[in-house]
Structure formats: C-alpha cells, structure tokens
Amino acid sequence: NVALVGALLYTQTGEVGASVAASRAHVAPRMVAPKFSMSGLRPAQREARVSAHGKGIVSTIALDAPVATSEDSMTWIPAKGNEVDAGMGQVHIDAAISNEISPVMAQKNIQRPVIFGVAADSGCGKSTFLRRVNAIFGTTTSKAHTPTGDLITTICLDDFHTLDRTGRGQTGISALDVRANNFALMADQLKALKQGRAIKKPIYNHDTGAIDPVETIHPNHIIIVEGLHPMLDKDVIESLDFTFYIDVSDPVKKAWKIERDMVERGHKKEDIIASIESRKPDFEKFVEPQKANADVIISIEPTKLDVAPGEETKYLNTRLIQKENQHGIRPVYMFEEEGSTVDWDPCAGPGAMACPYPGTRVRYYNEMSGEKHANVIEVDGVFGETEELFFIEERLSNTNTKYFGELTKQMLKNKAAPGSGDGSGLVQALVALKMRESYERFTGRTIQIPKWGLFLDDY
C-alpha cells in the first residue's frame, strides 16, 4: 500500500506538483489484479496509454492594463449590460469590471485563464460531473456560492438571470428563456476574466429565488462556466476554449427527476411530470441547439440491451461523442486503430469481467454530429466490480491518463457518486481527462499527480 495525499502547488518551472502530507496520509485501497496485463502489447502501444500525444497549442494573454498591487487598490468600471431591465428594474446595476489586471494573476502565476463551457438542463448531472473534474485535476474548491480553489473556479450562469423566481412567476417567462438572462453582461465579464481582470458578478440565490448583491471574482488557471446557456450567444462563445454538452434523453431525464423530487422534495408524480412538460418547449428552443456548438457531447439514453419491459431507463446507454476540433485534442478510441468499428462484450470469454444483469456492451464507431465528423465511444449497461474497469481501460487508446490504471483509480475514488456503476460515470471521467489534456495543451504546463503504481499489484 502507498500512503499519499495530493496537494497542488505551482512550481517555478510552471508545472503543477503533488506534495506528500505525512500527517494526513491516506492509504490506497488494495485492488485485485485482473487476469490480463499489458505484457503482450508492443512498446509503442504501451507508451500511447501512459503519455499524452502531440504538442500543446500554447497561448498567453496580452496584459493591456496596469497590474493592481492589491485588491484594495483596484478601481472599477460598469460592465456592459449592467443596465438591462427585464421588468424588475436594473437588478445588475452594480456589476463591474476592474480597470487593472487582478493581482491574483501574479500571485498564482497564471499564464492565462482557460475557460471551459458546460451546458445542460437542470438535474442532468452537472454537479456530479464537475466533482469528477476536480478529482482528475487533483484539486478541490470551496463551498462558497462560486466554488473557487487554487486551480479551478466554477461559475454558475444562473447568476445572470434578470428575473428572480417571483418575477418569472408573474411574467410567465422561464429561466430557460433568453429574455430571463443577461447575455451582454455574461459575455463582457467572461471576456474580462480571460484578460486577467477581476469582476463584480451578480448572484442568483437558489434557496430564496432572489437576486443577491454582487461578489468579487478573480481570474484562475481554469474557469468552468456551467448552466443552461454557455454556448448560445456568439459573444459568450468567443471566450470559451473548449465546450461540453450533457444530453440526457427525455425518458431518462423524467425518470431521474421523478425519483429525486418524490424522494427528496416530497413532490407528487403528476406535478413533476407537468413541470417537465411545461419546460420542454423552451428547452428545445434555447438549450438543445447548443449541441451544435459543443466540442464534446455526453449523451445518456435508455439501454439498448435486452431488459424487461419498463426497465429501459433503469439501465443506461452512455455515448461520448467527440467532434473534430481545432484545438489539437485527439479522440479516445478503442483498441489500436482510430476510425475502426468495434462492438465488444467485455463480459464474454475467458478471464472476462464479471457483469451483473443486464451485462455490459462497449462500442466504438464514427458518425456525423451535425456538420462535423465525430468519434463515438458507447458504454451500455452496468459494471460488477469497479476494480475490473482495468479490463476496459486497457482497451482504450488516447485517454491522456498519466499512467496505466489512472482511469480505474479515479472511478474508485468516486465509487459512491451517481453513475459509478455504469457508463455515465466512466464517460464523465474520460471527458475530465480530456479537459486536463486541453489545459496542458493551451498553457504548456503539466498537471503532476501522485503515481500510485503502473499495475494493480503495485497498489
């Protein structure tokens, strides 16, 4: 067993290192080795699984303003869109942008903020996905309204609502409607963060439904903007480096929401269904079109496996749709040849995974996603023991793991999280690895993480 705990520290070489805290040592779980190894692979194939491909697309920002010596010395100007009035007055009148470059840029040695956009309807697993992203980067964030850590800041775009809960009820305008969102302010403040400036951003209070006073947000190495509309407005899209859309099909979304709201909130089934149906027109008009602007789509659908009638949404078929992109980020694919077609049962044959009902199916193929060519990894059904995901991981290429076994280890670290027993969690982890790869490519820096052994018996 290895006793390690990772804490991210920026070194003078521009790499992110992992430190060992002996006083808070964590013992890695013992994992049982599967009945296979990588010994039969050619050296080039092994290397493809333990190192990133290609060179990074490195860029920096031009500091076009003086750098503030401290937060107290900063001066502010009104942000574009702060005077927008959707019928409740100028609720964003205090939104602002700093005249100076934030002192945090120098304090954290930020080369340039990398901004990711994550779009999805409410209740579609954004929070679970973002927890996996933090784990892949080896970092944590605060529990503040806008979670912030040494590496990552996550901004919820609900903060740019122009109507509070009461106002939406009175006007009949939903939160999905563009009229209830301040895109001019959203675009201006994301542009400012990308330039290294600080912002005074509004807050939408999910507990009270009110629009609260502004908060100060500084740039960070990585900024994740998540919500209903990160890829709808062209001016907002200009600030995004890499974009993701979580696409949960109607039958699965309905099953999830009914289960959550009946158990956790005591709502009646018929009221939940009515709420879902009332949102559907605005979702199809304002949220779903963003799939066309996403670089990567996580698609969650009912299983295609042979299950009993009515069980289709109990078991999930998750697809990782990786579109051609201009960022140099290559797709994950299966076995050795990108572009081939694979339909594989990991539960069949000698030494196979032990899969409970209804089993597991892994597919890889190409398709057109809108006007772009896409590589698709599809994982259908459920897993048995999470440790056995090494059986699948060994057959995936270009995952950008730091060492063979990291993907399975990440799944084990979040074993209690929703989706860890099926393809939805596995695909989320693969996407988080691609986010890490893109950060490294855009900045030329390397995320260093604890290496807990190349093979299972090293744990």
Side-chain angles (χ1 to χ4, degrees):
N1 289 334
V2 181
L4 287 172
V5 62
L8 289 175
L9 296 171
Y10 269 82
T11 67
Q12 306 219 337
T13 63
E15 292 190 345
V16 184
S19 67
V20 177
S23 61
R24 296 178 58 191
H26 172 69
V27 178
R30 181 71 183 176
M31 300 196 295
V32 180
K35 299 177 181 178
F36 64 87
S37 73
M38 296 179 68
S39 59
L41 297 179
R42 296 189 300 271
Q45 293 172 287
R46 289 191 199 173
E47 185 64 23
R49 285 164 170 78
V50 297
S51 65
H53 294 275
K55 296 181 179 179
I57 304 174
V58 180
S59 63
T60 59
I61 63 167
L63 300 181
D64 58 355
V67 179
T69 56
S70 67
E71 186 169 339
D72 292 339
S73 69
M74 297 173 69
T75 58
W76 301 86
I77 56 172
K80 294 178 182 178
N82 74 315
E83 296 181 346
V84 166
D85 184 351
M88 291 185 55
Q90 296 174 332
V91 294
H92 295 158
I93 194 64
D94 293 326
I97 292 170
S98 67
N99 282 304
E100 301 83 11
I101 300 299
S102 167
V104 171
M105 290 290 289
Q107 292 165 7
K108 288 190 170 185
N109 189 23
I110 300 172
Q111 178 172 309
R112 67 100 155 174
V114 174
I115 304 183
F116 296 118
V118 180
D121 198 2
S122 63
C124 286
K126 291 191 298 293
S127 297
T128 300
F129 170 56
L130 294 174
R131 284 195 295 271
R132 294 189 190 277
V133 171
N134 280 331
I136 292 290
F137 277 93
T139 189
T140 58
T141 55
S142 67
K143 296 188 181 299
H145 174 80
T146 298
T148 300
D150 290 339
L151 189 67
I152 297 175
T153 295
T154 301
I155 295 175
C156 177
L157 295 184
D158 288 357
D159 288 338
F160 295 90
H161 286 341
T162 53
L163 295 173
D164 63 14
R165 191 174 295 157
T166 300
R168 295 197 301 273
Q170 291 173 345
T171 61
I173 298 174
S174 79
L176 292 78
D177 196 309
V178 293
R179 293 175 294 173
N181 295 275
N182 192 341
F183 288 98
L185 178 60
M186 194 186 302
D188 199 39
Q189 293 202 321
L190 288 181
K191 180 180 178 181
L193 288 171
K194 189 113 180 184
Q195 293 172 338
R197 301 170 188 263
I199 62 173
K200 290 186 176 180
K201 177 187 66 62
I203 293 175
Y204 178 78
N205 190 317
H206 287 93
D207 294 329
T208 65
I211 297 172
D212 287 351
V214 296
E215 63 174 346
T216 300
I217 299 296
H218 290 272
N220 210 340
H221 297 278
I222 297 167
I223 298 169
I224 299 174
V225 291
E226 59 88 6
L228 296 169
H229 309 105
M231 290 104 70
L232 189 63
D233 179 84
K234 65 179 180 60
D235 293 328
V236 174
I237 293 172
E238 284 185 3
S239 292
L240 305 180
D241 291 293
F242 211 54
T243 54
F244 306 86
Y245 184 93
I246 303 175
D247 183 25
V248 180
S249 68
D250 282 347
V252 174
K253 189 187 302 183
K254 188 175 293 185
W256 282 0
K257 194 166 179 62
I258 288 172
E259 181 179 2
R260 183 192 69 179
D261 289 0
M262 288 183 68
V263 174
E264 297 181 8
R265 303 178 183 180
H267 295 175
K268 295 180 179 178
K269 183 176 180 179
E270 55 269 26
D271 293 337
I272 298 169
I273 294 174
S275 174
I276 293 171
E277 292 301 318
S278 69
R279 290 170 57 90
K280 195 170 181 180
D282 279 352
F283 172 79
E284 292 175 346
K285 185 175 181 180
F286 301 116
V287 179
E288 195 170 34
Q290 294 174 97
K291 282 194 289 188
N293 296 324
D295 293 306
V296 174
I297 299 172
I298 301 173
S299 175
I300 303 176
E301 307 163 350
T303 183
K304 297 178 183 176
L305 299 176
D306 187 15
V307 296
E311 289 188 332
E312 292 84 1
T313 58
K314 183 178 179 181
Y315 305 102
L316 303 177
N317 179 45
T318 305
R319 299 197 304 147
L320 171 56
I321 303 170
Q322 308 161 95
K323 299 182 188 177
E324 289 180 325
N325 63 79
Q326 304 300 315
H327 314 300
I329 309 300
R330 293 179 56 199
V332 180
Y333 57 93
M334 287 196 67
F335 297 104
E336 302 170 21
E337 188 173 346
E338 182 179 344
S340 59
T341 298
V342 177
D343 189 355
W344 174 50
D345 182 355
C347 314
M353 291 175 61
C355 302
Y357 170 86
T360 308
R361 201 85 188 180
V362 183
R363 306 177 183 95
Y364 169 71
Y365 50 91
N366 297 320
E367 69 176 22
M368 294 300 295
S369 180
E371 298 180 353
K372 292 187 176 181
H373 177 271
N375 291 266
V376 182
I377 293 282
E378 184 174 316
V379 186
D380 199 349
V382 295
F383 311 131
E385 296 296 326
T386 307
E387 290 84 350
E388 291 191 333
L389 286 177
F390 274 90
F391 196 69
I392 294 177
E393 180 175 356
E394 187 182 36
R395 287 150 174 82
L396 295 175
S397 295
N398 203 36
T399 59
N400 194 48
T401 51
K402 299 291 186 179
Y403 56 89
F404 175 67
E406 185 192 359
L407 176 60
T408 302
K409 176 188 161 225
Q410 289 292 344
M411 293 295 291
L412 284 165
K413 284 171 64 176
N414 292 279
K415 195 172 183 177
S420 294
D422 59 47
S424 61
L426 182 64
V427 165
Q428 286 178 356
L430 286 170
V431 171
L433 288 167
K434 285 298 166 182
M435 292 174 78
R436 190 176 71 187
E437 176 186 358
S438 60
Y439 169 77
E440 292 178 335
R441 286 178 179 272
F442 297 153
T443 64
R445 288 178 164 169
T446 301
I447 300 291
Q448 298 289 350
I449 60 171
K451 186 172 180 179
W452 286 13
L454 186 62
F455 299 101
L456 281 171
D457 52 9
D458 290 328
Y459 277 71

